[in-house]
Amino acid sequence: MPKATTLSEAIAVFDPRAPLSGQALREFYVARPGSPLGQMEQLLLSLRQSGQTVKLLLSGHRGSGKTTELNRLAERLEEAYGNRYEVIPVDVSRQIATLTYHDVVLSMALAVFKRAVSLDIITRSPVEAVQGLLQRLGEFLQERLYGPGLVKLPQVQPTEIAAKLSIGVAELEAKYSLSATSRANLQKYVDENLSELLSQVDEVAGLLTVQTRRMPLLTVEGTDKPDLARSREIFCDHQYALTALRNVSVIYTFPIELVYSETYTQIKDGFGERYSLPNLKRVNRDGSPNSEGHACLEQIVTNRLATERIDAEALRLLVEASGGAPRFLIRMMRNAATRALARGNAEQIQPEDARGAIGEELGDFIRMLRSEHYPVLWERFRDKTLSADPVHQELLQMSALLEYSNGGDRWCDVHPILLPEVKKRTGHAD
C-alpha cells in the first residue's frame, strides 16, 4: 500500500482497526523508543538454540500497537535469523465479549493443524510416524462435527488423511464461529479432554519442527481485549492451559489493567516473561517536552500521508491530542481527512478538521466516564501514580489514564483530550 497523496487515499491508509502487516508494515512502520521488540527477539533466539520454548505476555493499552510490533517481530525473525521460527498468528477477537480459555486453546490448536496441512508436513512424514496421530486428530475433528462414533478414519495413506484433516479443520472452524451449540460442545470437550488436546497439538508441532527445522511460535491477538473479569479467568484461573504446550512458544497480548491487579504476581510467575509496550511520550513525567516521542508520532502520520496534505498546526494538534497512543492518532487522522473532504474541494487537513476529530473523541470519553472518575483523574494528573484498585483498572481499560515508561520508572497521565474537561469538572479550570 503506497503513501497517500490525496485525502481520499488517506481514509484508506489510516484504518484504526488494521495493524500493519505485509507491504504496509515495510512502508509505514516506525521504530519506537521503549519498544521491547529487541529483548523479545534475543530471548526467543537464545531459547531456540537450546530447543526450549517459552510463553510470553505482551501488555499495553488497546491501540498501543502491540499487534504491529508482533508482526514486525515475525518479519525480523524471518529475514534476519534464517527462519528459526514458524510464526503462526492467532486472532481470537471475534469472541471478545464472551471469550473463554476454551476459545484461546482451540484457536491455537486449529492454527497449528492448519499450518501443518498448508506446509504439507503430514504428507511428507513417514506413515509410521503420523498414522496414530492422524487417527486421533481425525477422530477428534469428526466426532466433534458429527457425533461420537459415527465416523472412523480408515488406515490409509497420509495424503488421503491430510486432505480429510484439512477439510475437517475448516469445517470445524466454521461451525465453531457460527454455531452456539457447536461452540458449547467443543468447550465441554476441552474441559474434559484438555491434556489430550494439548498433547495432539504438541505432536503436530513436533512434526512441524522436525520437517521444517523451525519451531512454531504462536502470536495470539485479542487476549488483551476482554473485560477484567474474563481476562482474570483466562490468565489466572486457566493458566495451565495457556502454558502447558511443550513444543510451541506463544506470545499472548495482555491487558494493561490486569498488570495493576491483586492477581498479577500470580499470573506473571506462571509465564516465562512479561514485556510492556508503552505509549509514546509527548512529554516527560515532569511535563517537559519529549522531542523523540513527538517526532515518532509525526512520522506515523508522514509515513502514510504526503506532508502537503496536512497543515502543520493540524498535525501538531492531532499528535498532542493522541496521548502517544497510535490508534487514537490513526483514528483522528481518518476523521480529520473525512471532515476536510466534506468541506468540499479541500486538499489539505486544516486545524478546524483536527479540532473536530478531537472533539468527537472527547464526546466518546464523556459518555463513558462517571462523576466519581473525574476527581481520581485530577489526582493522577497531579501525582502520575497508579494503584491496583477497580477504579484505576476501569480508567486504564478505557484509556482515560495512559501508562508511560522511562526505563524501569512507570507512570501515568490523564489522556490529553480529557484534561480540560477534568479541570472544569473538578474546579481547576484555568
Side-chain angles (χ1 to χ4, degrees), residues 61 256-257 260 386 392-399 401:
H61 285 275
I256 185 69
E257 59 271 18
Y260 295 93
L386 277 167
H392 287 85
Q393 292 164 358
E394 286 179 346
L395 294 171
L396 283 167
Q397 187 174 41
M398 65 179 73
S399 296
L401 279 176

Side-chain angles (χ1 to χ4, degrees), residues 51-95:
Q52 297 181 56
T53 61
V54 67
K55 311 301 180 288
L56 305 178
L57 302 175
L58 178 60
S59 70
H61 285 275
R62 292 164 184 79
S64 61
K66 296 186 292 298
T67 304
T68 291
E69 291 296 293
L70 290 177
N71 290 344
R72 177 59 179 157
L73 175 64
E75 190 175 70
R76 284 185 58 82
L77 290 172
E78 179 181 353
E79 291 178 351
Y81 300 103
N83 291 334
R84 298 184 192 181
Y85 281 96
E86 180 69 27
V87 182
I88 305 173
V90 179
D91 191 349
V92 297
S93 298
R94 284 181 297 182
Q95 288 100 18

Side-chain angles (χ1 to χ4, degrees), residues 36-300:
L37 198 64
Q39 298 174 57
M40 296 167 66
E41 182 180 296
Q42 292 307 312
L43 176 68
L44 287 165
L45 290 171
S46 298
L47 292 175
R48 179 67 186 97
Q49 289 179 344
S50 59
Q52 297 181 56
T53 61
V54 67
K55 311 301 180 288
L56 305 178
L57 302 175
L58 178 60
S59 70
H61 285 275
R62 292 164 184 79
S64 61
K66 296 186 292 298
T67 304
T68 291
E69 291 296 293
L70 290 177
N71 290 344
R72 177 59 179 157
L73 175 64
E75 190 175 70
R76 284 185 58 82
L77 290 172
E78 179 181 353
E79 291 178 351
Y81 300 103
N83 291 334
R84 298 184 192 181
Y85 281 96
E86 180 69 27
V87 182
I88 305 173
V90 179
D91 191 349
V92 297
S93 298
R94 284 181 297 182
Q95 288 100 18
I96 289 306
T98 57
L99 191 69
T100 66
Y101 91 96
H102 315 84
D103 302 313
V104 179
V105 171
L106 276 167
S107 295
M108 292 194 300
L110 290 172
V112 171
F113 298 161
K114 286 172 66 177
R115 183 60 60 92
V117 170
S118 70
L119 293 176
D120 207 23
I121 299 303
I122 293 169
T123 57
R124 288 170 18 201
S125 301
V127 174
E128 61 273 13
V130 298
Q131 184 67 61
L133 169 62
L134 291 172
Q135 185 71 31
R136 291 190 297 277
L137 281 178
E139 288 174 354
F140 158 67
L141 291 169
Q142 296 196 15
E143 288 188 8
R144 293 306 99 201
L145 285 169
Y146 306 114
L150 295 182
V151 177
K152 293 295 182 182
L153 287 172
Q155 297 288 318
V156 297
Q157 292 301 309
T159 51
E160 299 173 66
I161 298 183
K164 293 188 177 187
L165 180 60
S166 179
I167 294 170
V169 168
E171 197 170 342
L172 180 64
E173 196 170 36
K175 286 201 169 194
Y176 189 68
S177 300
L178 300 175
S179 167
T181 301
S182 293
R183 186 177 179 210
N185 288 339
L186 281 162
Q187 289 178 342
K188 182 179 178 182
Y189 172 86
V190 173
D191 281 330
E192 296 173 351
N193 303 277
L194 178 62
S195 294
E196 180 186 350
L197 178 59
L198 294 175
S199 176
Q200 290 171 354
V201 176
D202 265 327
E203 286 191 74
V204 175
L207 279 177
L208 196 154
T209 300
V210 168
Q211 291 290 337
T212 66
R213 300 189 179 182
R214 298 190 298 272
M215 181 178 287
L217 169 62
L218 302 180
T219 57
V220 185
E221 159 66 13
T223 42
D224 60 325
K225 294 181 173 66
D227 60 40
L228 191 64
R230 285 191 177 278
S231 296
R232 185 181 290 112
E233 182 180 354
I234 291 167
F235 284 102
C236 187
D237 298 349
H238 296 285
Q239 192 175 104
Y240 169 78
L242 273 59
T243 59
L245 289 171
R246 295 173 289 104
N247 296 331
V248 180
S249 286
V250 188
I251 304 174
Y252 297 99
T253 53
F254 187 70
I256 185 69
E257 59 271 18
L258 205 52
V259 176
Y260 295 93
S261 72
E262 72 283 0
T263 57
Y264 176 60
T265 299
Q266 179 183 348
I267 293 170
K268 183 176 68 171
D269 289 347
F271 288 80
E273 295 286 343
R274 197 276 294 190
Y275 295 97
S276 175
L277 181 64
N279 292 303
L280 289 156
K281 296 187 294 288
R282 305 160 22 262
V283 296
N284 298 310
R285 185 169 187 163
D286 62 4
S288 60
N290 187 297
S291 58
E292 185 179 26
H294 191 97
C296 280
L297 289 162
E298 285 195 347
Q299 191 179 353
I300 288 173

